[in-house]
Amino acid sequence: KQEVTQIPAALSVPEGENLVLNCSFTDSAIYNLQWFRQDPGKGLTSLLLIQSSQREQTSGRLNASLDKSSGRSTLYIAASQPGDSATYLCAVGSGGYQKVTFGIGTKLQVIP
Amino acid sequence: GAVVSQHPSWVICKSGTSVKIECRSLDFQATTMFWYRQFPKQSLMLMATSNEGSKATYEQGVEKDKFLINHASLTLSTLTVTSAHPEDSSFYICSARKGKRNTEAFFGQGTRLTVV
């Protein structure tokens, strides 16, 4: 059974700082890995999708890396802004029907 | 990106009644849709996998008679919470895939269910 762990559970940083969010998964036989953002009481916004054959993806100030063999992914956020404050979820697609298994998330607060 | 629409976005119902939540893929056909539930301060937990034209596959511990899933077409899946109780109050969210393998999962906006 796939299990996804995210560290840290919460993070508070001053505006402008670069930061790294970590995600680990137990079963390396994955199809893909996605990073999402969830604002309080809202749905999910997809940030980046990394296929199992890829090592990283970039979108603007966001960079996600994937090391499938070690079961790890990181989300790097450059020059953080208060608008980046949200919960960031790591989700792994694996198994039949490519079920998506979520981590519990990292709650990020960027202080102005 | 593709659009998945979920309706309603929030609903309040009385204990004992049933509530239906719709999930539609607006600009693509989704052979497989997924239903998740999220309790406060917890992660999203997969409830069931819904395949068009066949019975849904439920995760362990999810009551199939309580959470009825119907995937009648390639663009619509519904989740009906039957005889709802306050402990069913949660955030329910659906997702759909465009293709069969290695494709991005697109999520609906979610439905906040409160049972009073």
Side-chain angles (χ1 to χ4, degrees):
Chain A
K1 180 185 174 184
Q2 181 73 268
E3 293 182 3
V4 180
T5 303
Q6 290 187 246
I7 295 173
L11 183 63
S12 183
V13 300
E15 182 178 2
E17 195 162 291
N18 302 326
L19 57 101
V20 175
L21 308 181
N22 297 291
C23 171
S24 61
F25 46 94
T26 55
D27 184 354
S28 61
I30 67 171
Y31 292 101
N32 54 39
L33 183 146
Q34 277 182 265
W35 283 93
F36 294 89
R37 167 186 174 138
Q38 185 176 31
D39 292 287
K42 300 290 180 66
L44 304 181
T45 300
S46 179
L47 299 174
L48 290 164
L49 168 71
I50 310 178
Q51 301 292 356
S52 61
S53 59
Q54 298 173 324
R55 293 195 65 84
E56 68 175 343
Q57 283 288 332
T58 298
S59 176
R61 295 183 292 109
L62 305 179
N63 176 277
S65 68
L66 173 64
D67 184 343
K68 199 172 75 164
S69 60
S70 68
R72 296 178 187 277
S73 175
T74 60
L75 178 66
Y76 175 83
I77 302 177
S80 59
Q81 302 171 357
D84 295 331
S85 298
T87 295
Y88 290 81
L89 298 171
C90 170
V92 175
S94 61
Y97 298 118
Q98 295 183 61
K99 289 184 203 179
V100 176
T101 304
F102 284 85
I104 200 166
T106 294
K107 187 174 183 179
L108 172 66
Q109 182 182 24
V110 181
I111 303 167
Chain B
V3 178
V4 175
S5 176
Q6 195 171 331
H7 179 81
S9 56
W10 62 270
V11 58
I12 300 173
C13 71
K14 290 185 177 180
S15 188
T17 61
S18 295
V19 174
K20 180 184 284 188
I21 303 171
E22 291 188 349
C23 179
R24 294 180 184 273
S25 55
L26 297 186
D27 52 357
F28 66 99
Q29 293 184 331
T31 53
T32 304
M33 290 184 173
F34 305 88
W35 287 95
Y36 295 82
R37 178 169 55 185
Q38 185 180 36
F39 291 108
K41 298 186 179 180
Q42 294 187 27
S43 183
L44 284 89
M45 298 299 295
L46 179 65
M47 297 175 67
T49 302
S50 167
N51 293 292
E52 186 266 338
S54 64
K55 291 182 179 180
T57 303
Y58 290 81
E59 295 299 298
Q60 192 173 10
V62 178
E63 299 175 60
K64 59 182 67 176
D65 293 331
K66 180 166 187 63
F67 298 100
L68 301 179
I69 291 173
N70 183 281
H71 194 159
S73 75
L74 287 171
T75 59
L76 173 64
S77 176
T78 60
L79 168 67
T80 301
V81 183
T82 63
S83 187
H85 289 101
E87 57 264 32
D88 298 324
S89 299
S90 186
F91 185 70
Y92 293 87
I93 194 165
C94 70
S95 80
R97 292 188 182 278
K98 272 182 159 179
K100 290 188 177 180
R101 292 210 173 274
N102 295 344
T103 55
E104 187 173 357
F106 296 94
F107 284 78
Q109 309 95 309
T111 297
R112 173 76 56 191
L113 170 64
T114 302
V115 184
V116 297

